[in-house]
Amino acid sequence: MNSSVLLCLMVMLVQLWPCSPSTQNSSAQNTVQSFTPVRRVKRGWLWEPLFATEEQISPDPVYIGQLKSDLDKEDGNLEYILAGEGAGSFFYIDKYTGKIYVKQKLDREKKPFYILTAKAINRSTQLPVEPDSEFIIKVRDINDNEPQFLNGPYVATVPEMSPEGTSVTQVTATDADDPSYGNSARLLYSLVEGQPYFSVEPKTGVIRMASQMDRETKDQYLVIIQAKDMVGQPGALSATATVTINLSDVNDNPPEFQQRLYYMSVSEEAPVGTTVGKVFAEDRDIGDNAAMDYFIEADSSGVFNIITNDETQEGIILLKKRVDYESQRRYSIQVKAVNRYIDERFLKEGPFEDTTIVKINVEDADEPPVFTLENYVMEIVEGAMRGTLVGVVTARDPDADESPVRYSIVHSRHLKRLFSINEHNGAIITTEPLDREIASWHNITVTATETRNPEKISEANVYVQVRDVNDNAPEFPKNYETFVCENAVSGQLIQRISAVDKDDSAEGHHFYFSLAQEDSNSSHFTVKDNQDNTAGIFTGKSGFSRQEQFFFYLPILIQDNGTPPLTSTNTLTVTVCDCDTEVNTFYCRYGAFMYSLGLSTEALVAVLACILIFLVFFLAIVTIRQQQQKKPPFSEKMEEFRENIVSYDDEGGGEEDTEAFDISALRTRTVMRTHKPRKKMASEIQSLYRQSLQVGPDSAIFRQFISEKLEEANTDPSVPPYDSLQTYVFEGTGSLAGSLSSLGSNTSDMDQSYDYLADWGPHFKQLAGMYSSHRTVED
């Protein structure tokens, strides 16, 4: 027994015995008393062991021990007093004898010991005869608590097929009784339910596998574990716990086909990628352990393929190539299913794979015609006459009845029809000559249709290449601008030329340059062929004069190397420039332009001067008009000739309804102004006429007049916010009569003279006659 255990036992013994009076609070010096009363030689206490048993039930107090002073003569002269924990409630002392009793039931699990103090006094003097002594009453344990599983219910998982003895989980029970006293807290575990698959270690509660188990047979077990105290002795208390044990899956089962032979069919019209059918191999495992891959082993034709559906674990057979009923009507393939993840521990169980046979029948269908080629390439020489044979396409009905085929060309609405086809034999001919320079390739779509079933149509592409012939002569690639200075010397290079040819040459183009023999300017210029499809134009003499000849036109002969060779004449224009020996292109172009217009430099300067003067004159007029717009427009007298129309959209009770609202509140101050007598109207019209001769409706003065009147109406504070229409009639300079408005004719015009109408011209002759006669009659 080691030192720590011995120390614990000593402490327990100290707690079980009361302390020596001489040492009171020092537990290390306590003297262990015997179980019988002991008399001491010196003055002091006489002790007995003090124990109290828990849960002890009795109608009378229970004696647990006695303490007594060695001075006690048992004559009743001494009195014993008990103080401390539980004194008076749980414990009391006989004050004459010192015997200690328990009054109530104790519970060790709540309080395992009590610390009390004993006193002995003289009844007469009330003085202590012994020093106060502290002692301990220990509560002795009984088996009054059953074990408890605090962490239940328990759930554990263990892989299936685990070997015997594999630890599954551990259960632990606790007991509230004193583990240091007796066997009340010593537990023993046993298996109530779960044999013969599991076992439990009696002392530790570790559950182990008792045999190998297959998850596919049963994947969950309920195990009941019992814990007894008192080491399982009779009268022991017990408790049980339920443990749910799940078996996790391992890959210990191979895939197996439920059918050893599958029958499927596919139509010969089915496109590539069509699903032919599905096969399924069952695996009793779950999750990744049941994952498998399918393969096709025996299929030399390579017509079919198989993929795995990871969700359903099915093998899907797909069409890899088109099938033909007339070529082969039946296929037989071998499909294998293999576990994707193999557990090496179970390899000895056998191969984790399985095979099956799949027989596939090809179903006959009415197929469209089949062209001998998917794409046809044909050639024709450009310029071939209409009706020339380009080539022949061929298609046949692959079905057994071999229906006749009719050919046609798919024409576009927007493209010219250059080809036609014989609907019976597929011969393609031209409808007009072809030009390679316009299009060197033509793409044609040809259809073949069964005559017995017009819905069965197939197409083929025909590519027609137009072969080139030498039908285009070479020419200049651009319009050359060639200049020569008046001071040019003989043999000076003035232009380098080249040529292009629209034709296509297999050997490459080669051009030959020369000057036409009939050229009258051959003495002025020469052509040198560089033998690299370029040529140089050189001066043939020194000195040129613009006054004598401004332009020279050189006919250049260009010949190609085609079969047969073609020659063209291209004119090169040489312009004489006013320069020394080096040409300034911009200056020469300017001189040529002026020469084409027939103007000299002096004439051009004069034209520019005239344009400048015209611009200055135009700007001056604009400036004067802008200054005139700043002058005051009309005088205040023009107020008299303004005519107003003010409209109020008010629907009242007619002419008698004069009480609807105050019309005067709606009138502007311009409307409210006083009208002049009618007798002065003639003089006003004449005054307006004279002013209209001076100012027109399009003048700035008239526009300013209107703007001011509009501003006056908008800013009048006496006018309510009603909409109004104000009209200012001003005839301007276009009318000799002035205003003929009768809005202001509120007085009789009987006293007016209309003689001035005769001065208005022939247009008012009839009006003047009518008013003159009227005047005469009235007179």
Side-chain angles (χ1 to χ4, degrees):
M1 184 179 296
N2 55 30
S3 58
S4 61
V5 176
L6 290 174
L7 180 61
C8 293
L9 291 176
M10 292 176 64
V11 173
M12 292 172 60
L13 290 173
V14 170
Q15 292 179 349
L16 293 174
W17 291 87
C19 301
S20 172
S22 61
T23 57
Q24 295 185 7
N25 296 329
S26 177
S27 60
Q29 298 178 3
N30 285 343
T31 303
V32 179
Q33 305 294 332
S34 65
F35 288 95
T36 59
V38 177
R39 297 277 182 181
R40 299 184 58 187
V41 176
K42 296 181 179 180
R43 293 176 62 245
W45 293 90
L46 298 177
W47 299 97
E48 283 185 356
L50 300 178
F51 295 98
T53 304
E54 68 169 338
E55 303 292 340
Q56 187 170 1
I57 302 174
S58 174
D60 299 323
V62 178
Y63 171 77
I64 61 172
Q66 182 181 15
L67 56 88
K68 188 175 182 182
S69 172
D70 56 359
L71 299 179
D72 189 359
K73 304 300 182 177
E74 297 182 358
D75 54 1
N77 193 30
L78 295 181
E79 181 180 349
Y80 297 98
I81 300 174
L82 188 66
E85 296 177 339
S89 57
F90 288 99
F91 308 99
Y92 79 93
I93 190 169
D94 188 331
K95 60 183 180 180
Y96 296 104
T97 63
K99 294 182 179 180
I100 300 174
Y101 297 89
V102 177
K103 297 170 58 178
Q104 298 183 23
K105 183 169 61 176
L106 302 178
D107 189 353
R108 189 204 66 85
E109 284 70 43
K110 292 183 178 179
K111 191 169 181 62
F113 61 90
Y114 294 83
I115 301 176
L116 296 99
T117 302
K119 296 181 181 181
I121 62 174
N122 190 300
R123 287 180 177 273
S124 301
T125 64
Q126 296 294 316
L127 295 176
V129 297
E130 296 284 357
D132 294 350
S133 178
E134 186 180 82
F135 64 96
I136 296 174
I137 299 178
K138 184 173 178 62
V139 181
R140 182 175 294 168
D141 182 51
I142 65 173
N143 189 20
D144 59 342
N145 291 280
E146 62 184 15
Q148 292 183 352
F149 289 94
L150 301 179
N151 297 325
Y154 296 88
V155 178
T157 302
V158 63
E160 65 170 330
M161 306 304 292
S162 296
E164 182 179 348
T166 301
S167 174
V168 178
T169 187
Q170 183 179 16
V171 296
T172 303
T174 60
D175 196 315
D177 292 326
D178 188 1
S180 62
Y181 179 77
N183 296 324
S184 299
R186 295 180 62 185
L187 304 180
L188 188 68
Y189 298 94
S190 61
L191 195 65
V192 177
E193 185 176 333
Q195 301 91 348
Y197 308 108
F198 302 95
S199 63
V200 62
E201 293 182 356
K203 295 182 178 182
T204 62
V206 175
I207 301 174
R208 298 184 181 276
M209 300 284 290
S211 62
Q212 282 191 336
M213 288 175 287
D214 188 4
R215 185 201 66 84
E216 287 72 36
T217 302
K218 186 177 181 181
D219 60 354
Q220 189 177 80
Y221 294 84
L222 295 179
V223 177
I224 298 177
I225 303 296
Q226 184 183 62
K228 282 187 176 183
D229 58 11
M230 300 292 292
V231 200
Q233 296 176 2
L237 303 178
S238 65
T240 59
T242 301
V243 183
T244 302
I245 301 177
N246 297 312
L247 298 181
S248 61
D249 185 59
V250 297
N251 191 8
D252 59 340
N253 292 280
E256 295 181 359
F257 284 103
Q258 301 303 308
Q259 295 179 233
R260 289 302 167 186
L261 185 61
Y262 287 86
Y263 291 97
M264 300 178 185
S265 61
V266 61
S267 173
E268 63 176 340
E269 285 185 324
V272 173
T274 300
T275 298
V276 178
K278 300 178 182 179
V279 296
F280 178 68
E282 184 178 0
D283 194 319
R284 299 175 64 191
D285 297 320
I286 58 175
D288 290 341
N289 294 324
M292 65 188 73
D293 294 312
Y294 293 90
F295 304 94
I296 293 180
E297 286 193 318
D299 180 18
S300 58
S301 63
V303 175
F304 303 98
N305 187 23
I306 190 168
I307 60 174
T308 303
N309 186 331
D310 291 332
E311 294 183 1
T312 63
Q313 293 299 314
E314 293 176 314
I316 304 174
I317 300 176
L318 304 176
L319 192 62
K320 187 177 181 181
K321 295 181 180 179
R322 293 288 296 268
V323 292
D324 185 12
Y325 175 81
E326 288 72 27
S327 301
Q328 186 173 348
R329 302 183 180 183
R330 189 174 293 105
Y331 294 87
S332 179
I333 60 176
Q334 181 174 319
V335 177
K336 180 170 68 173
V338 181
N339 266 143
R340 187 175 300 171
Y341 307 105
I342 304 298
D343 193 335
E344 296 181 355
R345 295 176 299 173
F346 303 101
L347 287 177
K348 62 181 181 297
E349 302 294 334
F352 285 79
E353 60 184 39
D354 197 12
T355 59
T356 187
I357 302 298
V358 180
K359 294 186 177 296
I360 303 173
N361 294 323
V362 179
E363 298 177 347
D364 189 23
D366 189 3
E367 301 175 89
V370 178
F371 283 94
T372 55
L373 297 175
E374 293 183 1
N375 299 302
Y376 291 85
V377 179
M378 302 178 182
E379 292 182 352
I380 187 173
V381 177
E382 72 170 319
M385 61 183 301
R386 179 178 180 273
T388 301
L389 177 64
V390 180
V392 179
V393 296
T394 304
R396 68 174 186 85
D397 183 10
D399 298 320
D401 55 359
E402 294 187 358
S403 173
V405 175
R406 183 176 66 253
Y407 301 94
S408 62
I409 293 178
V410 179
H411 294 286
S412 175
R413 295 181 179 180
H414 307 289
L415 298 179
K416 193 175 182 180
R417 299 185 179 184
L418 302 176
F419 303 92
S420 64
I421 190 171
N422 189 307
E423 66 176 7
H424 300 293
N425 57 21
I428 301 175
I429 60 176
T430 59
T431 58
E432 62 178 53
L434 304 178
D435 188 354
R436 190 205 66 84
E437 285 68 43
I438 297 177
S440 59
W441 284 91
H442 296 274
N443 300 335
I444 307 172
T445 300
V446 178
T447 62
T449 307
E450 286 187 15
T451 56
R452 297 176 185 171
N453 188 0
E455 294 182 356
K456 299 299 179 180
I457 304 174
S458 58
E459 295 182 351
N461 296 320
V462 179
Y463 304 98
V464 180
Q465 182 181 18
V466 182
R467 294 206 310 267
D468 184 51
V469 297
N470 192 23
D471 57 347
N472 291 279
E475 57 186 1
F476 282 153
K478 63 179 181 177
N479 292 325
Y480 290 102
E481 285 185 319
T482 306
F483 301 97
V484 61
C485 292
E486 289 184 309
N487 296 336
V489 298
S490 177
Q492 181 178 341
L493 177 64
I494 62 173
Q495 183 68 57
R496 181 181 294 274
I497 61 175
S498 61
V500 293
D501 196 330
K502 295 180 180 179
D503 294 322
D504 186 17
S505 176
E507 301 177 356
H509 289 293
H510 189 77
F511 304 113
Y512 305 94
F513 301 88
S514 62
L515 193 61
Q517 298 297 327
E518 67 276 7
D519 179 28
S520 59
N521 300 317
S522 59
S523 59
H524 297 79
F525 303 95
T526 60
V527 177
K528 180 182 179 182
D529 194 334
N530 297 326
Q531 301 299 318
D532 61 352
N533 290 341
T534 64
I537 308 299
F538 295 86
T539 56
K541 67 169 188 173
S542 298
F544 293 87
S545 176
R546 292 195 301 167
Q547 286 73 18
E548 294 180 2
Q549 188 170 353
F550 202 90
F551 298 104
F552 292 90
Y553 301 99
L554 303 182
I556 307 298
L557 298 180
I558 307 177
Q559 179 179 322
D560 61 17
N561 61 335
T563 304
L566 295 180
T567 303
S568 65
T569 301
N570 298 265
T571 301
L572 181 67
T573 302
V574 182
T575 304
V576 179
C577 182
D578 184 13
C579 57
D580 294 336
T581 57
E582 192 169 337
V583 175
N584 187 319
T585 304
F586 176 78
Y587 177 75
C588 292
R589 288 177 180 170
Y590 164 74
F593 174 73
M594 296 303 299
Y595 181 83
S596 63
L597 296 178
L599 298 175
S600 62
T601 304
E602 294 79 4
L604 181 60
V605 172
V607 171
L608 293 177
C610 293
I611 294 174
L612 181 61
I613 293 172
F614 175 76
L615 291 176
V616 173
F617 180 74
F618 176 76
L619 292 176
I621 294 176
V622 172
T623 303
I624 293 172
R625 283 183 173 273
Q626 291 178 352
Q627 292 178 355
Q628 289 178 353
Q629 292 178 358
K630 298 180 181 179
K631 294 181 179 180
F634 287 88
S635 62
E636 292 298 329
K637 294 182 179 181
M638 291 304 297
E639 290 281 350
E640 301 176 359
F641 307 115
R642 182 181 65 183
E643 297 178 358
N644 299 308
I645 298 177
V646 181
S647 299
Y648 303 97
D649 296 333
D650 182 84
E651 186 174 351
E655 296 180 354
E656 297 180 359
D657 186 7
T658 60
E659 302 295 329
F661 54 83
D662 188 4
I663 298 298
S664 61
L666 303 177
R667 295 183 178 178
T668 64
R669 59 186 178 183
T670 57
V671 176
M672 296 285 293
R673 69 176 180 271
T674 305
H675 291 280
K676 292 186 177 181
R678 184 73 178 96
K679 60 183 179 180
K680 296 182 180 181
M681 181 58 68
S683 61
E684 292 178 0
I685 294 177
Q686 292 178 0
S687 174
L688 179 61
Y689 168 69
R690 287 192 299 270
Q691 293 189 26
S692 66
L693 295 177
Q694 299 175 0
V695 181
D698 296 331
S699 67
I701 296 175
F702 181 82
R703 291 193 298 272
Q704 185 68 21
F705 168 75
I706 294 299
S707 299
E708 290 184 359
K709 295 306 175 184
L710 179 60
E711 182 67 16
E712 179 181 345
N714 290 337
T715 57
D716 190 356
S718 63
V719 178
Y722 301 141
D723 293 337
S724 65
L725 174 65
Q726 301 187 16
T727 304
Y728 305 96
V729 179
F730 190 81
E731 293 294 338
T733 58
S735 174
L736 299 177
S739 175
L740 297 180
S741 174
S742 61
L743 294 178
S745 301
N746 55 357
T747 60
S748 176
D749 57 356
M750 300 297 294
D751 56 348
Q752 295 191 27
S753 175
Y754 298 96
D755 296 337
Y756 57 85
L757 295 177
D759 299 333
W760 285 5
H763 296 289
F764 299 92
K765 182 178 180 181
Q766 185 176 0
L767 182 62
M770 292 172 60
Y771 273 80
S772 297
S773 60
H774 176 71
R775 181 70 174 175
T776 303
V777 172
E778 290 179 353
D779 293 341

